[in-house]
């Protein structure tokens, strides 16, 4: 057992950072035994130095994060500041000065993961970020290491707790979107500005990271198709229930059937109640992985929160410290397949379309013709009507998204179609 401690610089001491520091202190003896050397908190960079921080030695606190990462005696930098800058520059500076990095920063990894991995490799350091996707749930390491001998074909997940809480509340209590969002905000599940969550930006960043790792290719944030969940209504849930489904905001990363490309997307979708993801309640996260040899795997747990996220950070910290002692590095970026990322138009799935139509003879035939003309095969049709107006619900077989878009455009041009009330993809069947 080495007695000289490994030195850790903590950048950020907020929701996650304060829990990382607490666990490092309370579990110090266990961490020492598991790593094979003691770990010492050597500095804590924050924005507001005068803030009282329980359990943190005030002499360690600094506002000069750059000087901290440049010290030269730091073994591991834990970046839990968030955002792009100064986190990006601090991480690259850390590599240049001999430290490995553990980060929880999904936005940064999704945007600049390739460059950061290259910088880590150039300097012979580690870059680990288990906490960046789905909080406490082990996902990056299982994909990077446990499943590295298999072929992952699909990753389908609920990776944003805020939106899952809102959709779950809408489903179970009948609340509207705004009411459910207000409840999520009051309970601390939604931020004052919920845009990143409800518009799917947070989930899209996670989808980019997961797709890159799962398919050993590079998937940039811009490659991820994204739709938020603010338009989901009570009527959509009623339709979903009639089909034996519920609605979730899903991140879906898929290998194309011919294996020649991949796609990554985030949007609300109906999934059958029999699917394991349908029973993921409240703010929990879950990710369903389909691999050729392993079959179907499900990873489930708390996707955010200080303590759960710190658990993932600490797991990475131990791994990186062990690598450091072994004078080795863990797996870096694996992007050798160089698979192109397909557009949303290439995605093949099923659709549930609600139309407001004129209640007169021949409308159904007209609508069916438009679907046929665009090569979209209809599975079921349900029509309800009164007082000259009718509602038509069409569920399709699997079809390319581009074909469905063309169908909807043509439907909007029919005199007998008063409006397209909703279009929802149906997944997980
Ligand atoms: N919260 C979660 O549940 C969760 C889950 C998964 C991943 N993450 C990720 O974890 C990271 C941290 O999230 P968080 O919720 O802990 O954020 P947070 O509570 O806002 O904490 C951010 C910390 O960074 C410090 N900071 C901000 N700008 C700084 C700068 N320029 N120099 C030095 N320190 C600076 C802040 O200092 P002050 O304390 O002085 O303000 C604060 O301590 C983010 O990347 C986030 O996406 C969070």
């Amino acid at each position: 057992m080495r007695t000289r401690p490994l030195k850790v610089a903590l950048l950020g001491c907020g929701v996650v950072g304060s829990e990382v520091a607490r666990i490092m202190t309370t579990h110090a003896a266990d961490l020492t035994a598991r790593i094979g050397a003691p770990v010492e908190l050597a500095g804590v960079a924050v924005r507001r130095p005068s803030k009282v921080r329980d359990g943190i030695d005030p002499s360690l606190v600094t506002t000069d994060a750059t000087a901290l990462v440049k010290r030269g005696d730091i073994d591991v930098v834990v970046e839990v500041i968030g955002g792009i800058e100064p986190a990006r520059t601090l991480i690259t500076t850390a590599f240049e000065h001999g430290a490995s990095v553990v980060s929880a920063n999904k936005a940064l990894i999704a945007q600049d993961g390739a460059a950061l991995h290259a910088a880590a490799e150039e300097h012979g350091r580690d870059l680990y970020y288990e906490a960046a996707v789905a909080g406490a749930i082990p996902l990056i390491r299982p994909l990077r290491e446990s499943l590295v001998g298999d072929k992952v074909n699909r990753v389908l997940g609920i990776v944003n707790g805020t939106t899952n809480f809102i959709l779950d509340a809408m489903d179970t209590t009948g609340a509207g979107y705004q009411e459910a969002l207000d409840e999520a905000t009051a309970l601390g599940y939604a931020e004052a500005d919920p845009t990143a969550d409800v518009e799917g930006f947070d989930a899209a960043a996670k989808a980019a990271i997961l797709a890159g790792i799962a398919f050993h290719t590079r998937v940039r944030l811009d490659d991820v198709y994204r739709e938020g969940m603010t338009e989901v209504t009570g009527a959509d849930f009623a339709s979903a229930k009639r089909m034996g489904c519920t609605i979730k905001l899903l991140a879906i990363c898929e290998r194309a059937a011919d294996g020649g490309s991949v796609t990554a997307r985030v949007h609300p979708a109906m999934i059958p109640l029999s699917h394991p993801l349908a029973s993921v309640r409240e703010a929990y996260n879950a990710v369903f992985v389909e691999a050729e040899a392993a079959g179907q795997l499900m990873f489930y747990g708390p996707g955010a929160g200080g303590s759960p996220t710190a658990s993932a950070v600490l797991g990475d910290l131990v791994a990186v410290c062990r690598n450091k002692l072994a004078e080795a590095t863990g797996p870096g970026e694996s992007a050798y397949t160089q698979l192109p990322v397909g557009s949303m138009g290439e995605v093949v799935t099923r659709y549930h379309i609600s139309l407001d139509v004129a209640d007169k003879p021949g409308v159904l035939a007209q609508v069916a013709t438009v679907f046929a003309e665009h090569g979209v095969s209809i599975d079921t049709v349900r029509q309800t009507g009164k007082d000259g107006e009718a509602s038509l619900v069409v569920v399709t077989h699997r079809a390319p998204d581009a074909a469905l878009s063309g169908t909807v455009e043509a439907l909007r041009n029919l005199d007998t179609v008063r409006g397209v009330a909703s279009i929802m993809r149906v997944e997980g069947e």
Side-chain angles (χ1 to χ4, degrees):
M1 171 86 68
R2 181 176 118 154
T3 51
R4 189 160 51 83
L6 289 154
K7 295 196 174 176
V8 176
L10 184 61
L11 310 185
C13 193
V15 173
V16 179
S18 58
E19 280 298 298
V20 170
R22 182 187 66 76
I23 299 171
M24 277 183 71
T25 309
T26 55
H27 293 185
D30 286 323
L31 291 172
T32 301
R34 291 169 196 179
I35 291 166
V39 270
E40 175 189 308
L41 196 54
V44 181
V46 297
R47 209 171 17 190
R48 297 164 296 162
S50 52
K51 190 178 170 210
V52 176
R53 299 172 200 269
D54 290 343
I56 304 282
D57 175 353
S59 71
L60 296 178
V61 174
T62 176
T63 53
D64 195 345
T66 306
L68 180 58
V69 297
K70 280 184 171 175
R71 257 171 54 167
D73 64 338
I74 301 296
D75 295 289
V76 186
V77 166
V78 174
E79 184 277 306
V80 279
I81 290 176
I84 305 300
E85 285 294 355
R88 176 172 50 195
T89 304
L90 290 168
I91 289 175
T92 45
T93 308
F95 292 141
E96 285 159 12
H97 288 78
S100 285
V101 173
V102 174
S103 174
N105 195 332
K106 68 214 97 170
L108 178 59
I109 302 295
Q111 184 182 302
D112 288 320
L116 292 174
H117 272 295
E121 195 176 337
E122 183 190 342
H123 296 283
R125 304 295 159 206
D126 276 325
L127 172 62
Y128 277 43
Y129 43 85
E130 182 66 67
V133 182
I137 307 171
L139 202 53
I140 305 285
R141 196 162 306 130
L143 284 170
R144 247 187 189 182
E145 299 184 31
S146 318
L147 289 166
V148 72
D150 205 334
K151 183 178 182 189
V152 175
N153 288 322
R154 198 158 191 247
V155 179
L156 177 74
I158 295 167
V159 292
N160 182 276
T162 307
T163 47
N164 201 55
F165 182 91
I166 294 170
L167 290 170
D168 184 39
M170 289 174 75
D171 190 16
T172 52
T173 69
Y177 166 72
Q178 190 58 48
E179 196 187 334
L181 171 62
D182 290 346
E183 190 192 354
T185 311
L187 292 171
Y189 290 123
E191 301 200 12
D193 177 1
T195 310
D197 294 320
V198 300
E199 295 297 350
F201 291 103
D202 174 84
K206 294 165 179 170
I209 296 170
L210 288 177
I213 295 173
F215 305 131
H216 298 267
T217 191
R218 241 173 228 170
V219 179
R220 295 167 46 82
L221 190 51
D222 294 347
D223 295 327
V224 182
Y225 173 85
R226 179 192 54 78
E227 258 176 50
M229 43 70 73
T230 57
E231 309 282 311
V232 177
T233 64
D236 292 326
F237 273 104
S239 298
K241 279 203 173 89
R242 272 194 293 272
M243 284 184 60
C245 289
T246 187
I247 298 170
K248 298 289 186 188
L249 184 76
L250 297 179
I252 305 169
C253 313
E254 279 173 320
R255 199 186 283 278
D258 67 3
S261 64
V262 298
T263 52
R265 54 193 163 113
V266 169
H267 54 71
M270 293 184 182
I271 52 165
L273 293 170
S274 57
H275 192 283
L277 288 178
S279 55
V280 177
R281 303 282 317 275
E282 301 178 340
Y284 280 88
N285 283 196
V287 177
F288 201 71
V289 176
E290 295 174 15
E292 201 170 86
Q296 299 180 328
L297 308 166
M298 170 117 144
F299 300 83
Y300 170 86
S307 175
T309 308
S311 164
V313 170
L314 262 295
D316 280 352
L317 179 64
V318 169
V320 166
C321 286
R322 285 173 175 164
N323 291 344
K324 194 104 191 176
L325 290 183
E327 296 180 5
T329 51
E333 187 192 30
S334 172
Y336 73 95
T337 64
Q338 296 182 21
L339 288 169
V341 185
S343 69
M344 188 60 198
E346 293 167 43
V347 166
V348 177
T349 189
R350 296 181 67 204
Y351 302 87
H352 177 286
I353 302 125
S354 281
L355 303 170
D356 296 325
V357 297
D359 191 11
K360 57 185 190 188
V363 173
L364 189 53
Q366 246 184 344
V367 166
T369 302
V370 169
F371 276 86
E373 280 170 357
H374 290 82
V376 180
S377 153
I378 293 175
D379 182 15
T380 60
V381 179
R382 190 171 47 80
Q383 185 168 9
T384 49
K386 69 168 196 237
D387 303 332
E389 295 297 313
S391 162
L392 204 59
V393 172
V394 179
V395 180
T396 73
H397 288 295
R398 283 166 62 79
D401 213 81
L404 196 276
S405 299
T407 309
V408 170
E409 208 178 303
L411 287 170
R412 285 189 207 277
N413 290 330
L414 289 181
D415 288 345
T416 47
V417 173
R418 309 275 190 246
V420 179
S422 89
I423 306 164
M424 185 96 37
R425 298 178 183 90
V426 184
E427 302 287 341
E429 292 181 306

